[in-house]
Each structure stands twice: as C-alpha cells, then as structure tokens.
Amino acid sequence: MACSFPEEVLEHVFSFLTSQKDRNAVSVVCKSWYEMERWCRKRIFVGNCYSVNPRIMIRRFPEVKSVELKGKPHFADFNLVPEGWGGFVYPWIVEIARGYPWLEEIRLKRMVVTDECLEMISKSFKNFKVLVLSSCEGFSTDGLAAIVANCRNLRVLDLRECEVEELSGHWLSHFPDSFTSLESLNMACLLSEVSFSALERLVARSPNLKTLRLNRTVPLEKLSTLLQRAPQLVDFGTGAYSAEIRPDVYSSLADAFSGCKNLKSLSGFWDVTPAYLPAICSVCSLLTSLNLSYATTQSPDLTKIVGQCYNLQRLVVLDYIEDTGLNTISISCKDLRELVVFPSDPFVADADVLLTEQGLVSVSQGCPKLQSVLYFCRQMSNSALISISKNRPNLTCFRLCIIEPRAPDYVTLEPLDVGFGSVVENCKQLTRLSMSGLLTDRVFEYIGTHAKNLDMLSIAFAGDSDLGLHHVLSGCDSLRKLEIRDCPFGDKALLANASKLERMRSLWMSSCFVSFGACKLLGQKMPGLNVEVIDERENISSIPECTPVEKVYIYRTVSGQRFDIPDYVRIMGKDKDGVYDLS
Amino acid sequence: MELYLGLALSSSSSSASSCSSQFDLNCHESTIPVHRSKKRKHDDDYDHVPQTLPLLVWNNNFCCNKNQLNEEHQDHDNDGDDDDEVESNSISVRHRNIGGVIGWPPVKLCRRKVCHRKIGNGGGGDDGDGGGSKSMYVKVHMEGIGIARKVDLNMHQSYQTLVLTLANMFGKCYGDVKLTYQDKEGDWLLAGDVPWGSFIKTIQRLKLLKK
C-alpha cells in the first residue's frame, strides 16, 4: 500500500497533534503511521503506573521529552489505601534515566518518591526542566536540595500537597548563584522556614519567574519585598496572611500588589487577619483564579473581596462564604467557570455556617459559564438539584458532598435519586460526577441511561443491590474510572460486566460485598486485568471464598504481575509469575 | 458445574440497547468450574426474563445479614464449618473506627488541618471559659513530638470528637492514631473502653500514639 505523503510531511502534520488521544488514534491507522508517530511522540501520560512497564514505553517511544505518571488510586487521598500499597516511582526513574537521557519534564501524582529518586533525576537528565509532584510522599528536603543544586536548567519546581520529611529549610539555599532560569516555584505544602534572604536573592535573579507560591512561614511583612522584586508574577501564593495591624505594613503591601500588573492568580492566605485583605483590592479585577480555602475569615470580609473579582474564573473557598457570599458572587463574577467550596469543620454533623444548597443554586443561576463544581454542604434537596441542572446544562464536572452519609432530601425526606438523575439527564457533557446523600438503585438506572459521556464516577454509601452497579457498568459507555465505597454491591454485577473492566482504566471497591471467590474468578478469567485484593486481616488464605474482601482494586494492564506488593495485597487468579492460578 | 449468570433487566429501563441482553460469563473460551450455591432457586427463573429485579437484595449493614448468608452457603463445597459467622463479625469490627468513618467526608489531610481553627472565640482558646461553662483542660502528648498541648475535655461528649480534635491538633489523620490516657491510679489505658462519664472522672492526662 503506497503512502501518498512523504514522511516529512506526515511528521509535520503529526507535530500539531498534542493530545495523547489524538496521537493514539493516529498510531492505529496503519503500520507506517504507527512507526512515524512513535518516533515523534514527545509527551507520554500513563494514568496508572502499573498498567504498563517502563521498558515497553521506552521501546515504543524513543524520543520522549516529558513523562507524566499517576500511582495510587484517588481514594488514597482519603486514607483508604493502606501505607506501603505501592506507586513506587523508583523502577520508572531507573529505566527512564537509561532510556531518555534528554528527558526534560517529569510529572508525578500520588506516587512514592524517595530522595534516591530525586537524586537520580537530578544527575541523569542534563536538560531537566520541569518537576511537578502532586500528592506525593516519601522524600525529604534533602532530595529537594539535590534537585535544586544539580538541575542547572530547572524551570519548574512544583510541589502540590506533598508530604515531605522536613529536615531543614536549607534546601532552598542550594540554588546556585548562577542559576537564573526559574519560572515556577511552588513550596506551599512545606512547613519549615527557608532562609528569606536566599529566597529574596533567588527571586531577584529570576527574570522569568511567573509563579511563586510561598509556604506558611513567610511572614506577611516580607511579602512586599518579594513582590517588588517580581512585579511580573502571574501566579502568587502568600504565606501566613496575618500580622499586627500597622499602617506602614499595610500600605507597602497594597503598593506592592498594585505594582503587579500581570497577576492572575492568588492563593495562600493562611490565618488571615481580615484587615489586610483589602490590600489585594488593586488586583482583584485582574484575577482569574482565587484560592481562599485556607482563609478562616467570615463571610462579609470574604465577600467584599471576592465581589470585586469581576473576571474571576476559578474560586476556591471555605463554607465561611455562606449563601449570602455565593449570592454576591452570582451577581459579580459572571465569568466564573469553576467553584470549589470546602467545609471548615467537616467532622461536625451540625452546620455552624449558613451555607446550604441555596448558595449553589444562586451560583448556577447567575454564572452562565459555570462548568465545574465541588461543593460540600449539609443539606440538599431534589428540587435544588433539578434547578441546578436546568440552570447549568453545560456542567462538565459535578461533585457534591453532603457531609452526613445517606442524608435524604431535607424537605421531602426522599432519596436524592431524582435530583441526581436530573443532573445526568440535563448535563449531557458531564464527564465527572461524585454523589452523596440517600441514593437507591434508581439513581444508577438514571446514570446508566443518560450519562453517556461520564468518564469518572465516585459513589459512597449508596444503592440497594447489585443492580445499581450493573446499571453503571453496562450503561456508561465512556466510563473509565469508577470508585465505590460502602455500597451493597457484590459479585453478580461485577462478574456479569467483566469485559467492561477491560475498557476502563480502573475500578475501586471498598467495604462492599465482593467476595474472594469472585475476585479469584475474575483474575483467572481476565488476563488483561490485575485484580488486587487489599485486605489487612490476618490468615487471609484460610478465609472462606464467599467472604467479602475489604478492598478490591481492578485495573487493566499489559505489564502483568506487580513485583512490589506488600503482604496485604494479593493479585488474584495469577501466581507470582503472572501465570493463571487454577487452584 | 458451570456458573451461568444471566442478567436481564426490566423493560422499564431506557432505550439503552444493552438492557435486554443476557450476560453469560461462559461466553469466554475456557470454562472453569465454580461452585454453585444450591440455595439460589432464582437461577432457573432467568430464562423467563423477569420483569422485576433485584438479583440479590442486601441490607446496607452486612453484619445483619450474616445469618442469612450462613444459611445460603451451608452447602458450599469447600467450607462446611461454622467459621462464616466469625469472619463476618471480624469485618464489622475491622470497619468500626473510634474516629468515625474512615476517609469521610472526603477531605484531604492538608485541608483537615484547617479545621477546628474556629474564629470568633479568640485565637488562643487556652484561657477563659467557652460559653460560661467550666473548662477541664488536660495535657496531651503526641508520640514523637516534644511539645505538649492542652485540650478542654468539657468541649467534648464523645471519644469520637476528642480523637478528631487531637488528631487535627497534631496534624495527624485520626485513622493513624490511637488514644491512651493515664487514670487516677497512674495506669495507662486505651481510651474508648469505658463510658465517657467514667472516663472524664478518672482521666489525668492523654497521650496520642501512632498506630
């Protein structure tokens, strides 16, 4: 079969394809396209580090410059995955160091990264530029020091919500004096103090610095110094935003902020002293993103500020904003795309703040571009959910957490099936959904029927029977990630929809009714899946097959058996060489 | 014996084409014998495409069903003993957590640390009364941390809220800690065994240990 385009032309065309999905599609057109595409792919995203072996990846894509990996399942964020489960990036770093000496970017999420890994990264890649670690753990400030000292071309060091062993704040001082390429530094999750003078000098010699997110230890009084050194900042995160109220401190801070003409994003704001909030007023109209979720300030102070952010697209805030604050936002922030409201006191059943479903309804009414919602509240009604869905059929991500498990519609005391059903029916582009409250199998019927674009679904304390799970697995054509906890779903739906699991990235089920026997059967019958039973009870091997497992994590894989599992994880249906276990 | 799993949905479900199809696990090449529960009388009904569900109705609380489950599996070939009951019990014990439900609400650790920083009552909290009632401050140590804190036991009526508060105080997740206390006799005991009222009367100091 003759190919009418010369290779160079095709390669040039392919270079415009950046999405992995498009590139994957291109690579299956024909053999020659497969070959061409694999030689020019520069970025790789692996959504589950156990789904593929790094050697396979390197063999297929020899010219990669950027690797992104994800490790632990999402529910690890909420302590549902025991310590030591996995997600160790070390074997990947070893292979990548060998296979991609010119690698420039590494992005990791929910992985265990040791100091040894960081040292290896810092020494193996001569042109290393970008390190982003999200929700990672296992390393200390010594590892950071190695990166900072050795990566001469580093542009981005972004630590998002990592758990770091903090031996000292000295790591920052390891940036060489000759180092001037820094574009982005996010150290917000670190707890220890860094040398302010080292920080100031670093900022002063980084003309391309666009993102600077400080940690809590940088005092408010020093912020103006830094802002004056970096008026070109686009994304700034303060430290603890509290100090004695002093007019000179206030005015230098306000002046410093007003000098930042490119500022688009603000965050930080721990322990806010409300009197200092108006210092940011001069930049409010510039902001597209504002994160006040650590600001334990009352509604009026918050609202005064947020109400001035006319161009705001993304807002993250605590429920201190209350319904009144959200109402103001619905009037003032017409460009809002994403709203996140976290609970100030998640472990208390009764509300201490006046945040109800009304706040969300107002925003859905007033903000025509609203697409993404994460909302924690203590009461919800079907009618509110129906309103929200009718107001905002353009929603793509809807995550609602009603604090009390199985809470019904607070008005009618009925399940919230109809409300969520309305969401999936009206919001046809919905790709992510998290539900809570009292829900029966009915809601899953609605989801299976309507949620054809749903990519990720999170379920907790919901449903009545296997039928619920069956509706989801058989009806949601685009579903790739499903995570379930404390639902009465058992073997039948899982086994009946076994082939669906191969078309998904992963399925997590914990505190459900899936039995050992079913897991074993699934593992035996489906060679393309790893069926991991995660169970910390003793004497697991003598537990009867009908007993439900504590947790099961099922994911498709071409890399076969894992060799790094702790003793409470069993990969069912396969022996240690990855061969079927028929016993 | 082979497991035939035919799954038919009621016609009240949507237009989705998969609704009325049968799902047969045996359409995979190999058939691996699986023990079939002799108690499942409903299996024979699948050929008639029943209008109504459910396949199996479970109680939300698995423990309530453990007796029902024992009956259904009595004829299971590979276990004829009565250990089912013991195993079912162990599941419930395992899931019970003095801090409440693990991982709920779904809030990350870094965010949990923000909580309990109540405003309006002054930042300190160590001095003065809360709302006019008497305070009962006891010292709390966290294993591995040199500096002790104090907690007002009168602000709590249950072990649950106390452990949560203490865990947050030290920036730990409540699933990772266990609470011990020293009583009037000087003995160190695990908190949670005695009723709250008795606990309050005898407690001298607290210590949080890592699990």
Side-chain angles (χ1 to χ4, degrees):
Chain A
M1 173 171 33
C3 191
S4 38
F5 282 127
E7 269 183 34
E8 298 81 23
V9 175
L10 270 178
E11 250 186 66
H12 183 70
V13 172
F14 291 171
S15 68
F16 291 99
L17 298 174
T18 45
S19 111
Q20 183 142 305
K21 221 171 152 191
D22 289 341
R23 282 199 162 253
N24 288 345
V26 149
S27 67
V28 295
V29 166
C30 64
K31 267 192 168 168
S32 58
W33 281 38
Y34 176 91
E35 276 304 309
M36 249 177 288
E37 194 282 316
R38 68 178 260 262
W39 278 99
C40 67
R41 193 180 301 208
K42 298 277 183 285
R43 320 184 70 91
I44 288 280
F45 168 71
V46 178
N48 173 6
C49 64
Y50 292 117
S51 64
V52 67
N53 184 297
R55 286 194 193 172
I56 297 176
M57 176 185 80
I58 294 170
R59 197 170 61 212
R60 181 174 166 190
F61 300 110
E63 298 288 319
V64 162
K65 293 280 186 293
S66 157
V67 172
E68 184 175 348
L69 300 175
K70 291 189 180 178
K72 300 183 206 174
H74 174 234
F75 275 177
D77 286 353
F78 317 123
N79 299 308
L80 290 180
V81 177
E83 278 297 307
W85 169 82
F88 307 109
V89 81
Y90 185 81
W92 282 83
I93 303 296
V94 167
E95 296 293 340
I96 290 172
R98 223 182 348 236
Y100 297 143
W102 295 105
L103 191 77
E104 295 176 4
E105 305 181 0
I106 291 178
R107 292 175 171 81
L108 305 174
K109 188 165 187 179
R110 283 188 214 104
M111 296 200 80
V112 177
V113 182
T114 58
D115 283 346
E116 210 180 351
C117 297
L118 293 177
E119 272 156 47
M120 203 182 294
I121 291 172
S122 74
K123 301 212 167 107
S124 310
F125 309 110
K126 299 287 175 264
N127 205 20
F128 194 69
K129 294 182 178 149
V130 173
L131 182 64
V132 179
L133 302 177
S134 298
S135 304
C136 293
E137 51 162 354
F139 61 100
S140 77
T141 41
D142 283 354
L144 290 179
I147 292 284
V148 150
N150 299 324
C151 299
R152 297 302 161 106
N153 294 313
L154 193 69
R155 301 214 178 133
V156 174
L157 179 60
D158 188 348
L159 306 173
R160 300 178 190 173
E161 297 176 341
C162 293
E163 277 183 50
V164 183
E165 194 191 345
E166 310 219 24
L167 303 173
S168 81
H170 204 55
W171 63 274
L172 189 95
S173 311
H174 285 255
F175 278 110
D177 289 336
S178 55
F179 173 76
T180 57
S181 54
L182 195 65
E183 291 175 13
S184 170
L185 176 62
N186 175 5
M187 43 182 256
C189 62
L190 298 181
L191 299 171
S192 47
E193 202 175 328
V194 298
S195 150
F196 186 77
S197 55
L199 177 61
E200 193 188 341
R201 278 180 280 119
L202 175 66
V203 169
R205 67 177 186 277
S206 304
N208 297 321
L209 192 67
K210 297 280 187 301
T211 297
L212 178 64
R213 293 192 181 192
L214 306 170
N215 73 354
R216 231 165 156 155
T217 64
V218 179
L220 182 144
E221 296 91 334
K222 300 240 169 93
L223 292 182
S224 47
T225 314
L226 290 173
L227 287 173
Q228 276 153 14
R229 295 270 189 203
Q232 77 282 6
L233 281 178
V234 173
D235 181 330
F236 182 60
T238 74
Y241 202 73
S242 59
E244 263 177 40
I245 302 170
R246 282 170 46 192
D248 56 328
V249 171
Y250 181 92
S251 53
S252 25
L253 187 58
D255 286 344
F257 270 117
S258 59
C260 297
K261 309 285 186 204
N262 296 318
L263 206 55
K264 287 200 157 55
S265 166
L266 275 181
S267 58
F269 296 108
W270 285 278
D271 307 327
V272 165
T273 301
Y276 277 105
L277 271 178
I280 69 168
C281 280
S282 58
V283 293
C284 280
S285 57
L286 301 176
L287 295 180
T288 55
S289 170
L290 180 58
N291 187 332
L292 288 169
S293 63
Y294 292 103
T296 48
T297 335
Q298 296 280 35
S299 179
D301 297 309
L302 282 181
T303 311
K304 248 189 299 195
I305 295 300
V306 184
Q308 292 178 50
C309 300
Y310 309 119
N311 291 309
L312 205 60
Q313 294 178 14
R314 179 172 192 261
L315 176 64
V316 185
V317 77
L318 286 174
D319 55 11
Y320 290 132
I321 191 80
E322 298 192 332
D323 287 344
T324 46
L326 289 175
N327 194 43
T328 304
I329 286 161
S330 72
I331 298 167
S332 307
C333 307
K334 290 300 187 187
D335 212 17
L336 196 68
R337 323 268 165 112
E338 183 180 350
L339 175 68
V340 176
V341 179
F342 283 122
S344 51
D345 214 345
F347 304 113
V348 158
D350 301 313
D352 214 16
V353 287
L354 293 167
L355 181 104
T356 68
E357 81 283 7
Q358 264 321 297
L360 186 55
V361 172
S362 319
V363 176
S364 75
Q365 245 158 13
C367 301
K369 297 195 189 160
L370 187 70
Q371 280 183 314
S372 172
V373 170
L374 169 55
Y375 198 78
F376 283 80
C377 60
R378 286 179 167 84
Q379 66 185 42
M380 188 49 62
S381 65
N382 282 310
S383 67
L385 285 170
I386 293 170
S387 298
I388 291 165
S389 68
K390 290 197 164 138
N391 290 336
R392 288 282 62 79
N394 50 326
L395 283 175
T396 54
C397 169
F398 188 70
R399 297 158 70 187
L400 180 70
C401 179
I402 306 164
I403 303 261
E404 183 70 35
R406 303 194 188 93
D409 176 324
Y410 77 100
V411 178
T412 63
L413 297 183
E414 282 172 2
L416 291 169
D417 299 337
V418 170
F420 278 104
S422 174
V423 170
V424 293
E425 196 175 353
N426 290 321
C427 306
K428 302 200 189 324
Q429 298 311 311
L430 199 69
T431 51
R432 186 165 179 188
L433 178 65
S434 302
M435 306 191 294
S436 54
L438 183 64
L439 297 163
T440 71
D441 282 347
R442 239 208 133 88
V443 74
F444 298 113
E445 197 182 331
Y446 294 138
I447 291 174
T449 306
H450 295 288
K452 295 304 181 187
N453 286 315
L454 199 63
D455 175 88
M456 180 169 179
L457 178 62
S458 310
I459 309 171
F461 305 105
D464 307 310
S465 74
D466 269 57
L467 196 57
L469 179 57
H470 174 68
H471 281 307
V472 170
L473 289 176
S474 59
C476 296
D477 301 330
S478 310
L479 193 67
R480 288 186 318 119
K481 289 170 279 183
L482 180 57
E483 46 186 25
I484 302 171
R485 61 162 298 175
D486 293 275
C487 295
F489 300 148
D491 300 344
K492 286 200 186 281
L494 200 59
L495 296 176
N497 291 281
S499 56
K500 169 72 174 177
L501 299 176
E502 272 184 335
R503 298 195 296 280
M504 290 169 59
R505 182 190 295 174
S506 65
L507 166 63
W508 169 278
M509 292 178 75
S510 56
S511 307
C512 296
F513 297 142
V514 180
S515 69
F516 276 98
C519 292
K520 195 157 146 186
L521 183 62
L522 202 58
Q524 285 166 345
K525 286 252 179 191
M526 309 294 290
L529 298 177
N530 269 359
V531 179
E532 288 193 17
V533 167
I534 300 166
D535 202 310
E536 292 174 280
R537 285 174 289 190
E538 286 167 15
N539 303 320
I540 292 201
S541 25
S542 53
I543 284 183
E545 297 225 323
C546 57
T547 318
V549 301
E550 284 182 350
K551 301 166 190 187
V552 60
Y553 182 47
I554 302 167
Y555 51 89
R556 65 178 171 197
T557 178
V558 296
S559 77
Q561 183 66 279
R562 273 180 63 179
F563 297 104
D564 60 354
I565 52 178
D567 55 14
Y568 56 79
V569 173
R570 286 175 64 196
I571 304 204
M572 304 300 285
K574 298 178 175 66
D575 68 18
K576 55 178 163 36
D577 296 325
V579 175
Y580 304 141
D581 173 11
L582 299 182
S583 58
Chain B
M1 262 191 284
E2 294 162 0
L3 178 69
Y4 174 77
L5 203 71
L7 210 68
L9 297 184
S10 76
S11 50
S12 59
S13 301
S14 69
S15 51
S17 54
S18 53
C19 269
S20 50
S21 47
Q22 299 271 344
F23 298 87
D24 181 0
L25 199 62
N26 287 330
C27 63
H28 286 274
E29 322 70 56
S30 57
T31 52
I32 295 171
V34 169
H35 303 293
R36 182 181 179 175
S37 169
K38 292 188 182 133
K39 290 284 183 175
R40 298 204 191 282
K41 300 195 214 89
H42 295 297
D43 286 354
D44 298 331
D45 290 340
Y46 286 163
D47 294 335
H48 305 298
V49 186
Q51 287 295 92
T52 54
L53 334 146
L55 307 168
L56 195 65
V57 181
W58 289 89
N59 213 317
N60 274 347
N61 185 348
F62 178 75
C63 294
C64 295
N65 266 343
K66 67 179 189 306
N67 291 325
Q68 183 187 338
L69 207 64
N70 283 340
E71 274 168 45
E72 287 183 347
H73 287 90
Q74 251 161 27
D75 295 336
H76 232 255
D77 289 0
N78 65 355
D79 62 285
D81 53 18
D82 294 324
D83 282 349
D84 284 357
E85 207 170 311
V86 174
E87 298 313 327
S88 313
N89 258 328
S90 73
I91 295 165
S92 69
V93 168
R94 197 75 196 183
H95 285 289
R96 204 172 63 219
N97 187 289
I98 55 168
V101 182
I102 296 182
W104 191 268
V107 172
K108 291 188 199 177
L109 178 67
C110 53
R111 199 141 284 296
R112 277 182 239 137
K113 291 177 190 171
V114 183
C115 316
H116 296 275
R117 287 184 182 270
K118 291 284 199 174
I119 41 181
N121 254 347
D126 271 4
D127 43 288
D129 300 328
S133 57
K134 229 173 101 179
S135 319
M136 186 187 160
Y137 283 98
V138 292
K139 259 196 174 169
V140 192
H141 270 97
M142 169 82 222
E143 186 184 359
I145 294 180
I147 299 171
R149 304 285 301 270
K150 273 193 185 167
V151 66
D152 180 359
L153 288 180
N154 277 340
M155 298 290 282
H156 298 272
Q157 284 83 41
S158 74
Y159 291 108
Q160 177 176 337
T161 59
L162 177 61
V163 175
L164 284 168
T165 305
L166 294 178
N168 277 305
M169 216 185 247
F170 290 101
K172 301 267 177 248
C173 136
Y174 62 77
D176 290 344
V177 298
K178 61 182 182 212
L179 184 60
T180 60
Y181 68 101
Q182 190 176 36
D183 68 3
K184 280 200 166 100
E185 268 105 75
D187 299 321
W188 282 94
L189 305 165
L190 193 63
D193 291 330
V194 300
W196 179 261
S198 323
F199 168 72
I200 286 285
K201 291 192 180 115
T202 187
I203 185 201
Q204 298 303 298
R205 57 162 68 105
L206 291 162
K207 185 161 183 186
L208 265 185
L209 300 175
K210 294 182 203 166
K211 261 205 195 148

